[in-house]
Amino acid sequence: MGPHPAVAAIRLAVRRTLTDLASEAGSTFTAPAREPRERAGGAPLAAAALPAAVGTTLIGNAHRHPSGLPRTPAAPGSPLVLVAVSGGADSMALAIAAAFEAPKIGLRVGAVTVDHGLQSGSAERAAQVAGRLRELGLDPVEAVAVRVGREGGPEAAARDARYAALDEAAERFGAVAVLLGHTRDDQAETVLLGLARGSGSRSLAGMPAQKGRYRRPLLELDRAATRQACSAQAIPVWDDPHNRDPAFTRSRVRHEVLPVLEKHLGGGVVEALARTARLFRDDADALDQWAALAERDLRAGEGALDAVKLAELPPAVRRRVLRRAALRAGCPAGDLFARHLETIDLLVTGWRGQGPLHLPGGVEATRRCGTLVFRRQGD
């Protein structure tokens, strides 16, 4: 009898991601051969009848594998993949699938759980999650405490602290990638939040399956599958009360907005929003590539662009060029919004001799002698 369908689906998604990573890392895996023992009459024992070798580490939920054989761990020097684990169903399902699949393709798998320190008992809970992950065979496993600031609101500040901790751990352990447990439901929520903020097509493109060291293997699976997988494998999970706290915007989208849309528009809203993200991502990627080429051709000196040629570009491309130039001059990406770009765009399309614009990060944009110049104030 094979694994539960949800378990199988998650393992398949994780296997695809890990296979890509192993290929990128040049990892190869050959399972060490075991010497078959002989029965009394000289016939070899079947492989399934052999006990695990002394000292063998059971990787993942080995006792549930149909073969009944323990997983052979990857060699100590094999490439390492880390899983970001909160203790919830999404990340626990991801972690157990990664622990099951990684050794088969020559990868080691570890985990990092981040203690944001925002709830009573969070340190103890992080330690419990770390201990559970070690029991499942992940190594190394680390619980990291972070200090959450206030910039950008509580959700953004917690996210920034979490990613900083994950980046630091990945660098310290030399991990080739960090796996994140975001699902199709998370993607749908992200699209709705981007739509509400009027943030443009890049925001509506949602979360990428791959960005830098980060991979999201479960973006095509729904949240229910991760809960089913954990239940089928008797994996305890923790439900973060913040996920139901209406003080957080994403929580309201999850528990109030999406259910209303599903009720009045019919089922399939989550899947449709996730599909919208994929379509927008394709468009946004193509426009970004066009903008990168255009910016190179429009440079008129350090931090300067040819304003006349800028005006000839389609608005979607031109505003991407302006964004790239502003970021290069020092604008923080998280503080540069559509309204800023619309105002800068007026220096190109509605030039009436207006003075310099003051942008986030102490950056100034001004037009002079047919060029648009971005520079830090005081430079």
Side-chain angles (χ1 to χ4, degrees):
M1 181 177 177
H4 186 282
V7 175
I10 291 172
R11 285 179 180 174
L12 176 60
V14 170
R15 186 186 314 142
R16 288 169 174 165
T17 297
L18 293 178
T19 299
D20 290 342
L21 285 170
S23 177
E24 294 170 13
S27 175
T28 57
F29 175 64
T30 303
R34 285 196 178 97
E35 292 292 333
R37 295 186 303 175
E38 293 185 353
R39 297 184 187 274
L45 281 170
L50 294 176
V54 176
T56 296
T57 302
L58 299 186
I59 300 296
N61 210 14
H63 67 280
R64 296 185 183 273
H65 188 250
S67 72
L69 290 174
R71 288 295 178 202
T72 302
S78 301
L80 172 68
V81 175
L82 291 176
V83 185
V85 183
S86 66
D90 300 344
S91 59
M92 289 300 293
L94 174 61
I96 185 64
F100 184 86
E101 295 292 340
K104 295 192 288 184
I105 51 179
L107 297 174
R108 294 181 296 132
V109 61
V112 176
T113 182
V114 178
D115 170 21
H116 298 86
L118 299 177
Q119 301 173 37
S120 176
S122 63
E124 292 80 3
R125 190 158 41 248
Q128 290 172 0
V129 171
R132 191 171 302 146
L133 293 168
R134 293 187 186 99
E135 291 172 0
L136 293 171
L138 286 83
D139 182 48
V141 174
E142 190 169 76
V144 180
V146 298
R147 176 171 296 182
V148 177
R150 299 181 178 180
E151 187 174 351
E155 292 171 279
R159 182 177 61 248
D160 290 345
R162 179 167 61 254
Y163 276 98
L166 294 173
D167 282 334
E168 190 277 333
E171 292 288 342
R172 179 157 40 84
F173 287 118
V176 296
V178 178
L179 306 186
L180 304 174
H182 296 119
T183 65
R184 184 165 58 193
D185 299 76
D186 296 302
Q187 187 74 294
E189 294 160 11
T190 300
V191 172
L192 280 179
L193 288 168
L195 183 63
R197 293 165 180 159
S199 303
S201 61
R202 178 51 72 185
S203 179
L204 295 180
M207 297 175 288
Q210 173 180 341
K211 185 176 182 180
R213 62 164 52 97
Y214 292 98
R215 304 288 192 278
R216 295 180 172 90
L218 308 184
L219 276 184
E220 299 298 322
L221 301 175
D222 58 37
R223 189 174 291 136
T226 65
R227 286 199 169 276
Q228 292 168 3
C230 288
S231 176
Q233 298 173 101
I235 303 297
V237 299
W238 173 64
D239 290 316
D240 186 346
H242 280 174
N243 290 336
R244 287 194 167 274
D245 188 343
F248 297 100
T249 306
R250 185 174 286 270
S251 175
R252 295 197 299 274
V253 169
R254 180 174 302 177
H255 298 292
E256 298 175 23
V257 178
L258 273 173
V260 169
L261 292 177
E262 291 277 357
K263 177 181 178 180
H264 293 286
L265 299 181
V269 169
V270 167
E271 184 177 356
L273 287 168
R275 183 168 61 251
T276 297
R278 290 195 298 272
L279 296 173
F280 268 109
R281 180 162 299 282
D282 290 342
D283 293 347
D285 288 345
L287 290 170
D288 284 347
Q289 291 175 16
W290 187 354
L293 294 173
E295 184 190 18
R296 183 188 63 190
D297 295 336
L298 295 175
R299 286 177 186 164
E302 184 65 29
L305 299 170
D306 187 318
V308 176
K309 292 182 179 179
L310 263 173
E312 298 172 356
L313 293 173
V317 179
R318 184 173 62 246
R319 288 175 183 174
R320 280 171 164 77
V321 172
L322 297 176
R323 176 178 173 80
R324 290 172 61 90
L327 293 178
R328 184 174 287 106
C331 280
D335 296 332
L336 188 63
F337 302 127
R339 67 177 185 272
H340 296 124
L341 297 177
E342 290 169 359
T343 307
I344 302 170
D345 197 39
L346 289 175
L347 294 178
V348 178
T349 61
W351 172 241
R352 298 291 186 273
Q354 56 264 49
L357 300 176
H358 301 290
L359 304 174
V363 173
E364 181 181 273
T366 186
R367 176 167 174 164
R368 58 172 181 261
C369 302
T371 61
L372 197 62
V373 180
F374 295 83
R375 64 180 182 86
R376 278 190 177 276
Q377 298 173 23
D379 289 352

